[in-house]
Amino acid sequence: MRLKIFAAVSALSLSAAALAQQATEPAFTADAFRAHVAFLSDDLLEGRNAGERGYDLAARYVATRFAALGLTPAAEGSWYQQVPFQESSLAEQPATLSIGGKAFANGGDVLIGPSAFDASQDIQGEVVFVGFGLDEPTRGFDDYAGLDVKGKIVAMLSGFPKGTPSELGAHLASEKARMAEERGAIGVISIPTRTSLKAVSWEKRKDYAGEPSLTWVGKDGKPYDEAPGIRFGASLNTPAAEALFAGAKAPLSAVLDQADKEGGKPKGFALKQPVTFQRTSTKRMLESPNVVAVLPGSDPALAGEYVLLMAHLDHDGPKAEGEDRIMNGAMDNASGIATMLEVARAMGTSPSRPKRSILFAAVTAEEDGLLGSQYLAKNPVVDGKVVGVVNLDMPVLLYDFTDVIAFGAEHSTLGPIVERAAARMDVALAEDPMPEQGLFTRSDHYRFVQEGVPSVFLMTGFSNGGKEKFTDFLSDNYHTVNDEIALPFDWEAGAKFARINYLIAREIADAEQAPRWYANDFFGDTFAPQASK
Protein backbone atom coordinates (compact mmCIF):
# COMPACT_ATOMS: atom_id res chain seq x y z
CA MET A 1 0.00 0.00 0.00
CA ARG A 2 1.38 3.40 -0.92
CA LEU A 3 -0.12 5.31 1.98
CA LYS A 4 2.60 5.87 4.57
CA ILE A 5 2.07 9.53 5.45
CA PHE A 6 2.22 10.22 9.17
CA ALA A 7 1.61 13.10 11.55
CA ALA A 8 4.76 14.90 10.46
CA VAL A 9 2.99 16.09 7.30
CA SER A 10 3.17 19.88 7.36
CA ALA A 11 0.06 22.02 7.55
CA LEU A 12 1.34 23.62 4.36
CA SER A 13 0.38 20.42 2.50
CA LEU A 14 -3.28 20.84 3.34
CA SER A 15 -5.62 21.82 0.55
CA ALA A 16 -7.46 25.12 0.57
CA ALA A 17 -10.69 23.23 1.26
CA ALA A 18 -9.14 21.50 4.27
CA LEU A 19 -7.77 24.76 5.65
CA ALA A 20 -11.16 26.43 5.30
CA GLN A 21 -12.69 23.80 7.57
CA GLN A 22 -10.49 24.47 10.56
CA ALA A 23 -12.18 27.66 11.75
CA THR A 24 -15.69 26.20 11.77
CA GLU A 25 -15.12 22.51 12.49
CA PRO A 26 -17.86 21.12 14.78
CA ALA A 27 -17.19 19.29 18.03
CA PHE A 28 -17.58 15.50 18.40
CA THR A 29 -18.35 14.12 21.85
CA ALA A 30 -18.09 10.72 23.45
CA ASP A 31 -21.53 11.05 25.07
CA ALA A 32 -23.33 11.69 21.78
CA PHE A 33 -21.59 8.76 20.14
CA ARG A 34 -22.39 6.43 23.02
CA ALA A 35 -26.07 7.39 23.02
CA HIS A 36 -26.57 6.10 19.48
CA VAL A 37 -24.76 2.83 20.18
CA ALA A 38 -26.70 2.32 23.42
CA PHE A 39 -30.07 2.47 21.69
CA LEU A 40 -29.14 0.56 18.54
CA SER A 41 -27.56 -2.32 20.48
CA ASP A 42 -30.33 -2.61 23.07
CA ASP A 43 -32.08 -5.97 23.47
CA LEU A 44 -35.29 -4.22 22.37
CA LEU A 45 -33.97 -4.29 18.79
CA GLU A 46 -33.43 -8.06 18.87
CA GLY A 47 -30.18 -7.96 16.92
CA ARG A 48 -31.54 -5.87 13.99
CA ASN A 49 -31.91 -8.78 11.56
CA ALA A 50 -32.96 -7.55 8.09
CA GLY A 51 -36.68 -8.04 7.48
CA GLU A 52 -37.57 -8.37 11.16
CA ARG A 53 -39.19 -6.12 13.76
CA GLY A 54 -35.95 -5.14 15.48
CA TYR A 55 -34.41 -3.89 12.25
CA ASP A 56 -37.52 -1.84 11.50
CA LEU A 57 -37.27 -0.19 14.92
CA ALA A 58 -33.63 0.67 14.21
CA ALA A 59 -34.63 2.07 10.82
CA ARG A 60 -37.26 4.26 12.48
CA TYR A 61 -34.63 5.57 14.93
CA VAL A 62 -32.28 6.54 12.09
CA ALA A 63 -35.10 8.21 10.15
CA THR A 64 -36.14 10.28 13.17
CA ARG A 65 -32.54 11.40 13.67
CA PHE A 66 -32.34 12.42 10.02
CA ALA A 67 -35.58 14.38 10.40
CA ALA A 68 -34.34 16.10 13.57
CA LEU A 69 -31.24 17.26 11.69
CA GLY A 70 -33.35 18.87 8.99
CA LEU A 71 -32.25 16.50 6.22
CA THR A 72 -34.43 15.72 3.21
CA PRO A 73 -35.97 12.26 2.60
CA ALA A 74 -34.21 10.76 -0.41
CA ALA A 75 -36.53 7.96 -1.57
CA GLU A 76 -39.23 9.82 -3.52
CA GLY A 77 -40.29 11.76 -0.44
CA SER A 78 -39.70 8.88 1.97
CA TRP A 79 -36.87 8.04 4.33
CA TYR A 80 -37.16 4.40 3.26
CA GLN A 81 -35.99 2.74 0.07
CA GLN A 82 -37.76 -0.59 0.40
CA VAL A 83 -35.66 -3.49 -0.85
CA PRO A 84 -37.59 -6.60 -2.02
CA PHE A 85 -35.91 -9.85 -1.01
CA GLN A 86 -36.33 -13.54 -1.61
CA GLU A 87 -35.31 -15.67 1.35
CA SER A 88 -34.27 -19.21 0.41
CA SER A 89 -34.02 -22.04 2.93
CA LEU A 90 -33.06 -25.69 2.84
CA ALA A 91 -36.02 -28.01 3.20
CA GLU A 92 -36.24 -30.63 5.94
CA GLN A 93 -34.81 -33.25 3.62
CA PRO A 94 -31.02 -33.14 4.31
CA ALA A 95 -28.71 -31.73 1.65
CA THR A 96 -25.88 -34.11 0.77
CA LEU A 97 -22.74 -34.24 -1.31
CA SER A 98 -21.52 -37.69 -2.37
CA ILE A 99 -17.87 -38.05 -3.37
CA GLY A 100 -16.90 -41.25 -5.13
CA GLY A 101 -20.02 -42.88 -3.71
CA LYS A 102 -19.42 -41.75 -0.11
CA ALA A 103 -22.13 -39.40 1.22
CA PHE A 104 -21.26 -36.36 3.33
CA ALA A 105 -24.15 -34.72 5.19
CA ASN A 106 -24.49 -30.97 5.34
CA GLY A 107 -23.15 -29.39 8.53
CA GLY A 108 -20.34 -31.91 9.06
CA ASP A 109 -17.37 -31.89 6.73
CA VAL A 110 -19.48 -30.33 3.99
CA LEU A 111 -21.33 -26.99 4.07
CA ILE A 112 -24.19 -26.40 1.61
CA GLY A 113 -26.58 -23.47 1.35
CA PRO A 114 -30.02 -23.26 -0.29
CA SER A 115 -30.77 -22.48 -3.94
CA ALA A 116 -32.48 -19.24 -4.92
CA PHE A 117 -33.70 -20.77 -8.19
CA ASP A 118 -34.34 -24.54 -8.06
CA ALA A 119 -36.76 -26.16 -5.63
CA SER A 120 -35.10 -29.56 -6.03
CA GLN A 121 -31.70 -30.53 -7.38
CA ASP A 122 -29.97 -33.84 -8.09
CA ILE A 123 -26.78 -33.11 -10.02
CA GLN A 124 -23.98 -35.45 -10.99
CA GLY A 125 -20.72 -34.43 -12.56
CA GLU A 126 -17.02 -34.74 -13.07
CA VAL A 127 -14.75 -32.47 -11.06
CA VAL A 128 -11.73 -30.47 -12.20
CA PHE A 129 -9.35 -28.86 -9.72
CA VAL A 130 -8.55 -25.28 -10.86
CA GLY A 131 -6.03 -24.07 -8.27
CA PHE A 132 -7.30 -20.84 -6.71
CA GLY A 133 -9.87 -20.53 -9.52
CA LEU A 134 -8.60 -17.12 -10.67
CA ASP A 135 -8.94 -16.14 -14.32
CA GLU A 136 -7.21 -12.79 -14.89
CA PRO A 137 -4.22 -13.50 -17.18
CA THR A 138 -3.32 -9.81 -17.52
CA ARG A 139 -2.55 -9.82 -13.78
CA GLY A 140 -0.69 -13.14 -13.77
CA PHE A 141 -3.61 -15.38 -12.77
CA ASP A 142 -4.39 -18.06 -15.38
CA ASP A 143 -5.69 -20.99 -13.34
CA TYR A 144 -7.94 -22.32 -16.11
CA ALA A 145 -5.14 -22.58 -18.69
CA GLY A 146 -5.30 -25.93 -20.47
CA LEU A 147 -8.35 -27.12 -18.52
CA ASP A 148 -11.75 -28.08 -19.93
CA VAL A 149 -14.44 -27.38 -17.35
CA LYS A 150 -17.47 -26.96 -19.58
CA GLY A 151 -20.45 -28.72 -18.05
CA LYS A 152 -18.31 -29.82 -15.11
CA ILE A 153 -17.84 -28.95 -11.45
CA VAL A 154 -14.75 -26.98 -10.45
CA ALA A 155 -12.97 -27.43 -7.14
CA MET A 156 -10.83 -24.51 -6.01
CA LEU A 157 -8.84 -23.27 -3.05
CA SER A 158 -10.35 -20.41 -1.08
CA GLY A 159 -8.76 -16.97 -1.09
CA PHE A 160 -5.81 -15.99 -3.27
CA PRO A 161 -2.05 -16.67 -3.46
CA LYS A 162 0.10 -15.32 -0.66
CA GLY A 163 1.83 -12.09 -1.57
CA THR A 164 -1.00 -10.82 -3.80
CA PRO A 165 -1.95 -7.22 -2.90
CA SER A 166 -4.85 -7.66 -0.50
CA GLU A 167 -7.39 -5.45 -2.28
CA LEU A 168 -6.70 -6.99 -5.70
CA GLY A 169 -6.76 -10.49 -4.22
CA ALA A 170 -9.99 -9.86 -2.34
CA HIS A 171 -11.67 -8.56 -5.50
CA LEU A 172 -10.52 -11.48 -7.66
CA ALA A 173 -11.58 -13.99 -4.99
CA SER A 174 -15.06 -12.46 -4.94
CA GLU A 175 -15.34 -12.99 -8.71
CA LYS A 176 -14.59 -16.73 -8.71
CA ALA A 177 -18.15 -17.90 -9.40
CA ARG A 178 -18.45 -15.53 -12.36
CA MET A 179 -15.10 -16.68 -13.72
CA ALA A 180 -16.15 -20.32 -13.40
CA GLU A 181 -19.45 -19.61 -15.13
CA GLU A 182 -17.70 -17.89 -18.04
CA ARG A 183 -15.60 -21.02 -18.49
CA GLY A 184 -18.76 -23.15 -18.63
CA ALA A 185 -18.71 -24.74 -15.16
CA ILE A 186 -22.00 -25.67 -13.49
CA GLY A 187 -20.89 -25.91 -9.86
CA VAL A 188 -18.18 -24.68 -7.49
CA ILE A 189 -16.59 -26.55 -4.61
CA SER A 190 -14.42 -24.47 -2.28
CA ILE A 191 -11.57 -25.97 -0.24
CA PRO A 192 -10.19 -23.79 2.57
CA THR A 193 -6.43 -23.25 2.66
CA ARG A 194 -4.60 -23.66 5.93
CA THR A 195 -4.28 -19.88 6.15
CA SER A 196 -8.02 -19.34 5.74
CA LEU A 197 -8.82 -21.98 8.38
CA LYS A 198 -6.58 -20.10 10.81
CA ALA A 199 -8.48 -16.93 10.06
CA VAL A 200 -11.93 -18.58 10.41
CA SER A 201 -12.02 -22.11 11.84
CA TRP A 202 -14.20 -24.84 10.38
CA GLU A 203 -16.17 -24.97 13.64
CA LYS A 204 -16.96 -21.27 13.24
CA ARG A 205 -18.02 -21.84 9.63
CA LYS A 206 -20.34 -24.64 10.74
CA ASP A 207 -22.30 -22.13 12.83
CA TYR A 208 -23.75 -20.82 9.57
CA ALA A 209 -24.63 -24.22 8.07
CA GLY A 210 -28.24 -24.47 6.98
CA GLU A 211 -29.04 -20.81 7.53
CA PRO A 212 -31.42 -19.11 5.06
CA SER A 213 -29.93 -16.90 2.36
CA LEU A 214 -31.25 -13.62 0.98
CA THR A 215 -31.23 -12.31 -2.59
CA TRP A 216 -32.71 -9.01 -3.68
CA VAL A 217 -35.33 -9.15 -6.38
CA GLY A 218 -35.11 -6.98 -9.48
CA LYS A 219 -37.89 -5.11 -11.22
CA ASP A 220 -38.30 -8.15 -13.49
CA GLY A 221 -39.34 -10.20 -10.45
CA LYS A 222 -36.26 -12.41 -10.61
CA PRO A 223 -33.73 -12.87 -7.79
CA TYR A 224 -30.44 -11.15 -8.60
CA ASP A 225 -27.44 -13.42 -9.16
CA GLU A 226 -24.06 -12.44 -10.59
CA ALA A 227 -23.42 -16.01 -11.80
CA PRO A 228 -26.77 -17.76 -12.40
CA GLY A 229 -25.10 -20.50 -14.44
CA ILE A 230 -23.41 -21.87 -11.32
CA ARG A 231 -26.17 -24.19 -10.12
CA PHE A 232 -24.67 -25.14 -6.76
CA GLY A 233 -21.83 -24.46 -4.37
CA ALA A 234 -20.33 -26.29 -1.42
CA SER A 235 -17.38 -25.94 0.93
CA LEU A 236 -15.33 -28.94 2.10
CA ASN A 237 -13.43 -29.56 5.29
CA THR A 238 -10.17 -31.53 5.03
CA PRO A 239 -11.66 -35.08 5.31
CA ALA A 240 -14.15 -34.46 2.50
CA ALA A 241 -11.50 -32.67 0.41
CA GLU A 242 -9.13 -35.61 0.86
CA ALA A 243 -11.87 -37.93 -0.41
CA LEU A 244 -12.29 -35.69 -3.46
CA PHE A 245 -8.54 -35.91 -4.20
CA ALA A 246 -8.37 -39.72 -3.79
CA GLY A 247 -6.30 -41.17 -6.65
CA ALA A 248 -5.57 -37.70 -8.05
CA LYS A 249 -2.44 -36.55 -9.87
CA ALA A 250 -1.30 -34.87 -6.63
CA PRO A 251 -2.58 -35.40 -3.07
CA LEU A 252 -4.44 -32.65 -1.26
CA SER A 253 -1.56 -32.22 1.21
CA ALA A 254 0.85 -31.33 -1.61
CA VAL A 255 -1.60 -28.80 -3.02
CA LEU A 256 -2.05 -27.17 0.39
CA ASP A 257 1.72 -27.15 0.93
CA GLN A 258 2.21 -25.24 -2.30
CA ALA A 259 -0.60 -22.80 -1.44
CA ASP A 260 1.17 -22.08 1.86
CA LYS A 261 4.23 -20.70 0.05
CA GLU A 262 4.66 -17.05 -0.90
CA GLY A 263 3.31 -16.71 -4.44
CA GLY A 264 2.31 -20.38 -4.53
CA LYS A 265 -0.14 -21.13 -7.38
CA PRO A 266 -1.03 -24.84 -7.52
CA LYS A 267 -1.74 -26.01 -11.08
CA GLY A 268 -5.06 -27.56 -11.96
CA PHE A 269 -5.90 -31.07 -13.12
CA ALA A 270 -8.88 -33.37 -13.50
CA LEU A 271 -9.97 -35.30 -10.41
CA LYS A 272 -11.02 -38.94 -10.54
CA GLN A 273 -13.85 -38.94 -8.01
CA PRO A 274 -17.31 -38.07 -9.39
CA VAL A 275 -19.65 -35.96 -7.31
CA THR A 276 -23.41 -36.14 -6.73
CA PHE A 277 -25.17 -33.15 -5.19
CA GLN A 278 -28.68 -33.19 -3.75
CA ARG A 279 -30.73 -30.51 -2.03
CA THR A 280 -34.29 -29.20 -1.75
CA SER A 281 -34.99 -25.51 -1.16
CA THR A 282 -37.99 -23.37 -0.23
CA LYS A 283 -38.50 -19.63 -0.57
CA ARG A 284 -40.48 -16.71 0.83
CA MET A 285 -40.64 -13.00 -0.01
CA LEU A 286 -39.95 -10.10 2.39
CA GLU A 287 -38.91 -6.44 2.44
CA SER A 288 -36.38 -4.43 4.42
CA PRO A 289 -35.53 -0.74 3.89
CA ASN A 290 -32.41 1.25 3.30
CA VAL A 291 -32.82 4.51 5.24
CA VAL A 292 -31.74 7.40 3.01
CA ALA A 293 -31.50 11.17 3.40
CA VAL A 294 -29.91 14.12 1.60
CA LEU A 295 -28.26 17.32 2.72
CA PRO A 296 -28.46 19.52 -0.41
CA GLY A 297 -25.23 21.10 -1.56
CA SER A 298 -24.73 24.87 -1.36
CA ASP A 299 -22.95 25.35 -4.69
CA PRO A 300 -25.39 25.27 -7.64
CA ALA A 301 -22.59 24.08 -9.94
CA LEU A 302 -21.73 21.13 -7.67
CA ALA A 303 -25.00 20.28 -5.90
CA GLY A 304 -25.85 17.67 -8.54
CA GLU A 305 -22.85 15.64 -7.39
CA TYR A 306 -23.22 13.54 -4.25
CA VAL A 307 -20.86 12.26 -1.59
CA LEU A 308 -22.29 9.10 -0.06
CA LEU A 309 -21.77 8.36 3.64
CA MET A 310 -22.93 4.83 4.29
CA ALA A 311 -23.11 2.32 7.15
CA HIS A 312 -24.98 -0.94 7.47
CA LEU A 313 -27.77 -0.99 10.02
CA ASP A 314 -28.44 -4.73 10.21
CA HIS A 315 -26.85 -7.43 12.31
CA ASP A 316 -27.49 -11.14 12.88
CA GLY A 317 -30.62 -11.12 15.06
CA PRO A 318 -31.19 -13.71 17.79
CA LYS A 319 -29.53 -17.10 18.07
CA ALA A 320 -31.73 -20.19 18.02
CA GLU A 321 -30.97 -21.06 21.64
CA GLY A 322 -29.05 -20.04 24.74
CA GLU A 323 -29.64 -17.95 27.86
CA ASP A 324 -28.48 -14.82 26.04
CA ARG A 325 -29.78 -15.21 22.50
CA ILE A 326 -29.49 -11.68 21.10
CA MET A 327 -26.50 -10.76 18.93
CA ASN A 328 -26.73 -7.03 19.62
CA GLY A 329 -24.08 -5.87 17.16
CA ALA A 330 -22.79 -2.96 19.22
CA MET A 331 -19.47 -2.78 17.40
CA ASP A 332 -20.86 -4.36 14.23
CA ASN A 333 -22.34 -2.03 13.26
CA ALA A 334 -24.09 0.25 15.76
CA SER A 335 -20.71 2.00 15.97
CA GLY A 336 -20.72 2.64 12.21
CA ILE A 337 -24.26 4.03 12.31
CA ALA A 338 -23.30 6.22 15.28
CA THR A 339 -20.39 7.55 13.22
CA MET A 340 -22.68 8.35 10.29
CA LEU A 341 -25.26 10.10 12.49
CA GLU A 342 -22.58 12.21 14.16
CA VAL A 343 -21.12 13.18 10.79
CA ALA A 344 -24.64 14.02 9.59
CA ARG A 345 -25.13 16.22 12.66
CA ALA A 346 -21.83 17.97 12.01
CA MET A 347 -22.64 18.53 8.33
CA GLY A 348 -26.18 19.70 9.03
CA THR A 349 -25.27 22.16 11.78
CA SER A 350 -22.16 23.60 10.14
CA PRO A 351 -22.38 27.38 9.53
CA SER A 352 -21.29 26.70 5.94
CA ARG A 353 -23.13 23.94 4.15
CA PRO A 354 -21.01 21.55 2.02
CA LYS A 355 -20.73 22.54 -1.64
CA ARG A 356 -21.68 19.09 -2.94
CA SER A 357 -24.79 17.32 -1.76
CA ILE A 358 -24.37 14.61 0.88
CA LEU A 359 -26.34 11.37 0.64
CA PHE A 360 -26.62 9.45 3.92
CA ALA A 361 -27.59 5.77 3.80
CA ALA A 362 -28.16 3.24 6.58
CA VAL A 363 -28.30 0.09 4.48
CA THR A 364 -29.88 -3.28 5.11
CA ALA A 365 -28.73 -6.88 4.63
CA GLU A 366 -24.99 -6.28 4.68
CA GLU A 367 -24.61 -9.43 6.74
CA ASP A 368 -26.38 -11.37 3.97
CA GLY A 369 -23.93 -10.36 1.24
CA LEU A 370 -23.80 -6.55 0.93
CA LEU A 371 -27.31 -6.68 -0.52
CA GLY A 372 -28.84 -3.37 0.59
CA SER A 373 -25.86 -1.42 -0.70
CA GLN A 374 -25.88 -3.36 -3.96
CA TYR A 375 -29.57 -2.55 -4.43
CA LEU A 376 -28.89 1.13 -3.71
CA ALA A 377 -25.96 1.17 -6.14
CA LYS A 378 -28.05 -0.36 -8.93
CA ASN A 379 -31.25 1.53 -8.06
CA PRO A 380 -30.16 5.13 -7.30
CA VAL A 381 -32.41 7.35 -5.18
CA VAL A 382 -30.93 10.64 -6.46
CA ASP A 383 -30.96 12.15 -9.94
CA GLY A 384 -27.35 13.32 -9.71
CA LYS A 385 -24.12 11.36 -9.70
CA VAL A 386 -22.50 9.75 -6.65
CA VAL A 387 -18.86 10.82 -7.03
CA GLY A 388 -17.33 9.31 -3.90
CA VAL A 389 -18.17 6.98 -1.04
CA VAL A 390 -17.09 7.04 2.60
CA ASN A 391 -18.09 3.74 4.18
CA LEU A 392 -18.39 3.22 7.94
CA ASP A 393 -18.24 -0.37 9.15
CA MET A 394 -17.26 -1.80 12.53
CA PRO A 395 -14.49 0.41 13.83
CA VAL A 396 -13.11 -1.57 16.77
CA LEU A 397 -13.33 1.07 19.50
CA LEU A 398 -11.70 -0.68 22.45
CA TYR A 399 -8.56 1.51 22.52
CA ASP A 400 -7.32 4.92 21.50
CA PHE A 401 -6.41 4.11 17.91
CA THR A 402 -3.36 5.94 16.58
CA ASP A 403 -3.41 4.52 13.05
CA VAL A 404 -6.00 3.48 10.48
CA ILE A 405 -6.09 1.29 7.37
CA ALA A 406 -7.71 3.18 4.50
CA PHE A 407 -9.11 0.52 2.20
CA GLY A 408 -9.53 1.83 -1.33
CA ALA A 409 -7.66 5.09 -0.80
CA GLU A 410 -4.60 4.19 -2.86
CA HIS A 411 -6.64 3.70 -6.02
CA SER A 412 -7.94 7.25 -6.46
CA THR A 413 -7.49 10.88 -5.52
CA LEU A 414 -9.31 10.06 -2.30
CA GLY A 415 -5.87 8.98 -1.06
CA PRO A 416 -4.43 12.49 -0.52
CA ILE A 417 -7.70 13.56 1.13
CA VAL A 418 -7.39 10.71 3.62
CA GLU A 419 -3.71 11.58 4.18
CA ARG A 420 -4.57 15.18 5.04
CA ALA A 421 -7.38 14.19 7.44
CA ALA A 422 -5.13 11.70 9.20
CA ALA A 423 -2.27 14.19 9.46
CA ARG A 424 -4.55 16.80 11.04
CA MET A 425 -5.45 14.30 13.74
CA ASP A 426 -1.97 12.85 14.32
CA VAL A 427 -3.18 9.49 13.05
CA ALA A 428 -0.88 7.32 10.94
CA LEU A 429 -1.89 5.36 7.85
CA ALA A 430 -0.93 1.69 7.88
CA GLU A 431 -0.99 -1.25 5.52
CA ASP A 432 -3.61 -4.01 5.79
CA PRO A 433 -2.48 -6.22 8.70
CA MET A 434 -4.97 -9.00 7.85
CA PRO A 435 -4.90 -9.53 4.06
CA GLU A 436 -6.22 -13.07 4.52
CA GLN A 437 -9.55 -11.58 5.67
CA GLY A 438 -10.23 -9.98 2.28
CA LEU A 439 -11.85 -6.98 3.93
CA PHE A 440 -11.85 -4.80 0.81
CA THR A 441 -14.71 -6.83 -0.70
CA ARG A 442 -16.52 -7.59 2.56
CA SER A 443 -18.09 -4.21 3.23
CA ASP A 444 -20.66 -2.06 1.48
CA HIS A 445 -18.34 0.38 -0.32
CA TYR A 446 -17.34 -2.47 -2.63
CA ARG A 447 -20.77 -2.42 -4.30
CA PHE A 448 -20.09 1.15 -5.40
CA VAL A 449 -16.54 0.32 -6.49
CA GLN A 450 -18.18 -2.24 -8.78
CA GLU A 451 -20.24 0.60 -10.24
CA GLY A 452 -17.10 2.64 -10.90
CA VAL A 453 -17.28 5.02 -7.90
CA PRO A 454 -14.06 5.82 -5.96
CA SER A 455 -14.58 4.72 -2.37
CA VAL A 456 -12.79 4.58 0.96
CA PHE A 457 -13.36 2.54 4.13
CA LEU A 458 -11.37 3.13 7.32
CA MET A 459 -10.48 0.39 9.79
CA THR A 460 -8.92 1.18 13.17
CA GLY A 461 -5.29 0.03 13.15
CA PHE A 462 -3.05 -2.22 15.21
CA SER A 463 -0.80 0.40 16.88
CA ASN A 464 -1.06 1.49 20.52
CA GLY A 465 -2.17 -1.97 21.68
CA GLY A 466 -4.73 -2.28 18.92
CA LYS A 467 -3.51 -5.59 17.53
CA GLU A 468 -4.33 -7.60 20.65
CA LYS A 469 -7.66 -5.89 21.26
CA PHE A 470 -8.72 -6.06 17.62
CA THR A 471 -7.84 -9.74 17.15
CA ASP A 472 -9.33 -10.68 20.52
CA PHE A 473 -12.56 -8.98 19.49
CA LEU A 474 -12.64 -10.97 16.25
CA SER A 475 -12.01 -14.28 18.01
CA ASP A 476 -14.23 -13.77 21.07
CA ASN A 477 -16.96 -11.26 20.24
CA TYR A 478 -17.45 -10.82 16.48
CA HIS A 479 -20.85 -12.18 15.38
CA THR A 480 -21.62 -13.48 18.86
CA VAL A 481 -23.86 -12.41 21.75
CA ASN A 482 -20.77 -10.79 23.31
CA ASP A 483 -20.80 -7.88 20.85
CA GLU A 484 -22.78 -5.63 23.16
CA ILE A 485 -22.42 -2.33 24.96
CA ALA A 486 -20.96 -4.08 28.02
CA LEU A 487 -17.66 -4.31 26.10
CA PRO A 488 -15.02 -1.84 27.36
CA PHE A 489 -15.67 0.76 24.66
CA ASP A 490 -13.39 3.78 24.42
CA TRP A 491 -16.09 6.34 23.65
CA GLU A 492 -13.55 9.08 23.02
CA ALA A 493 -12.18 6.86 20.26
CA GLY A 494 -15.70 6.79 18.80
CA ALA A 495 -15.81 10.59 18.70
CA LYS A 496 -12.33 10.59 17.17
CA PHE A 497 -13.41 8.13 14.48
CA ALA A 498 -16.43 10.27 13.64
CA ARG A 499 -14.22 13.35 13.32
CA ILE A 500 -11.69 11.79 10.93
CA ASN A 501 -14.49 10.55 8.68
CA TYR A 502 -16.12 14.00 8.80
CA LEU A 503 -12.88 15.60 7.67
CA ILE A 504 -12.61 13.18 4.76
CA ALA A 505 -16.22 13.58 3.63
CA ARG A 506 -16.18 17.34 4.06
CA GLU A 507 -13.10 17.80 1.91
CA ILE A 508 -14.56 15.58 -0.83
CA ALA A 509 -17.72 17.68 -0.73
CA ASP A 510 -15.88 21.01 -0.96
CA ALA A 511 -13.07 20.09 -3.36
CA GLU A 512 -12.93 21.76 -6.76
CA GLN A 513 -12.72 18.38 -8.53
CA ALA A 514 -14.65 15.20 -7.84
CA PRO A 515 -12.56 12.13 -6.93
CA ARG A 516 -10.88 10.43 -9.89
CA TRP A 517 -9.33 7.00 -10.32
CA TYR A 518 -5.60 6.92 -10.91
CA ALA A 519 -4.46 6.07 -14.42
CA ASN A 520 -3.72 2.35 -14.91
CA ASP A 521 -5.35 1.43 -11.63
CA PHE A 522 -6.94 -2.02 -11.80
CA PHE A 523 -10.27 -0.99 -10.27
CA GLY A 524 -10.60 2.20 -12.28
CA ASP A 525 -9.73 0.41 -15.51
CA THR A 526 -12.06 -2.50 -14.72
CA PHE A 527 -15.15 -0.67 -13.47
CA ALA A 528 -14.82 2.85 -14.91
CA PRO A 529 -12.86 2.42 -18.16
CA GLN A 530 -14.30 5.57 -19.77
CA ALA A 531 -13.94 7.86 -16.74
CA SER A 532 -11.37 10.64 -16.62
CA LYS A 533 -8.31 9.37 -14.74
Side-chain angles (χ1 to χ4, degrees), residues 48 93 152 174 181 187 434 442:
R48 307 189 309 276
Q93 180 179 347
K152 299 176 184 178
S174 73
E181 179 189 47
M434 302 185 296
R442 286 176 52 191

Side-chain angles (χ1 to χ4, degrees), residues 183-496:
R183 290 284 183 162
I186 62 169
V188 173
I189 292 173
S190 178
I191 300 168
T193 62
R194 293 176 183 135
T195 298
S196 67
L197 283 175
K198 289 178 183 177
V200 184
S201 70
W202 187 258
E203 289 303 310
K204 185 72 173 179
R205 297 168 195 235
K206 284 168 62 175
D207 290 344
Y208 298 93
E211 286 196 352
S213 65
L214 283 186
T215 309
W216 61 266
V217 178
K219 291 180 171 57
D220 59 0
K222 296 179 181 179
Y224 180 81
D225 193 327
E226 293 175 326
I230 300 299
R231 299 182 59 199
F232 77 88
S235 184
L236 308 186
N237 196 20
T238 303
E242 287 176 339
L244 185 64
F245 274 73
K249 178 180 178 180
L252 176 66
S253 58
V255 168
L256 294 176
D257 285 345
Q258 188 174 2
D260 258 349
K261 298 176 181 178
E262 189 79 5
K265 299 178 182 178
K267 297 293 184 182
F269 47 83
L271 298 174
K272 295 185 177 181
Q273 304 303 318
V275 161
T276 301
F277 179 87
Q278 295 174 319
R279 70 178 168 190
T280 303
S281 304
T282 62
K283 64 181 181 181
R284 75 179 182 99
M285 310 306 291
L286 57 96
E287 283 188 332
S288 184
N290 293 326
V291 190
V292 287
V294 166
L295 177 65
S298 62
D299 186 334
L302 298 176
E305 296 180 350
Y306 290 79
V307 180
L308 170 61
L309 268 83
M310 175 172 54
H312 76 88
L313 182 57
D314 65 307
H315 196 239
D316 283 343
K319 292 174 60 179
E321 57 187 28
E323 183 176 347
D324 181 1
R325 296 179 54 229
I326 297 176
M327 292 187 278
N328 304 82
M331 205 77 71
D332 184 18
N333 185 38
S335 63
I337 293 290
T339 303
M340 183 187 68
L341 291 174
E342 283 303 285
V343 173
R345 176 193 57 76
M347 293 281 193
T349 58
S350 172
S352 58
R353 218 166 63 234
K355 293 181 179 180
R356 287 183 176 82
S357 298
I358 312 294
L359 173 62
F360 298 96
V363 295
T364 188
E366 186 269 357
E367 302 290 3
D368 299 284
L370 317 183
L371 300 182
S373 57
Q374 186 178 55
Y375 189 85
L376 178 63
K378 292 185 176 295
N379 297 273
V381 293
V382 294
D383 292 334
K385 180 181 180 182
V386 174
V387 298
V389 175
V390 179
N391 185 42
L392 309 162
D393 189 2
M394 201 182 82
V396 174
L397 303 173
L398 300 173
Y399 54 100
D400 178 17
F401 65 91
T402 57
D403 65 336
V404 292
I405 298 88
F407 290 102
E410 68 180 273
H411 303 291
S412 75
T413 56
L414 289 176
I417 293 175
V418 174
E419 291 174 6
R420 287 189 284 269
R424 284 182 60 182
M425 296 187 61
D426 292 336
V427 171
L429 296 175
E431 295 188 10
D432 182 3
M434 302 185 296
E436 72 283 354
Q437 293 281 351
L439 293 178
F440 181 64
T441 64
R442 286 176 52 191
S443 193
D444 289 305
H445 65 281
Y446 180 62
R447 295 308 189 191
F448 283 83
V449 170
Q450 290 177 303
E451 300 300 318
V453 183
S455 305
V456 66
F457 156 49
L458 297 192
M459 182 183 99
T460 45
F462 276 15
S463 297
N464 198 33
K467 179 178 181 179
E468 180 181 0
K469 292 181 179 179
F470 200 117
T471 55
D472 284 352
F473 173 81
L474 290 182
S475 63
D476 299 337
N477 305 309
Y478 175 64
H479 281 199
T480 74
V481 298
N482 300 326
D483 183 6
E484 55 187 357
I485 202 166
L487 288 170
F489 273 85
D490 183 332
W491 298 112
E492 292 292 346
K496 181 178 179 179

Side-chain angles (χ1 to χ4, degrees), residues 87-104:
E87 181 185 79
S88 304
S89 303
L90 290 171
E92 291 184 6
Q93 180 179 347
T96 61
L97 184 71
S98 296
I99 302 173
K102 181 180 180 180
F104 290 85

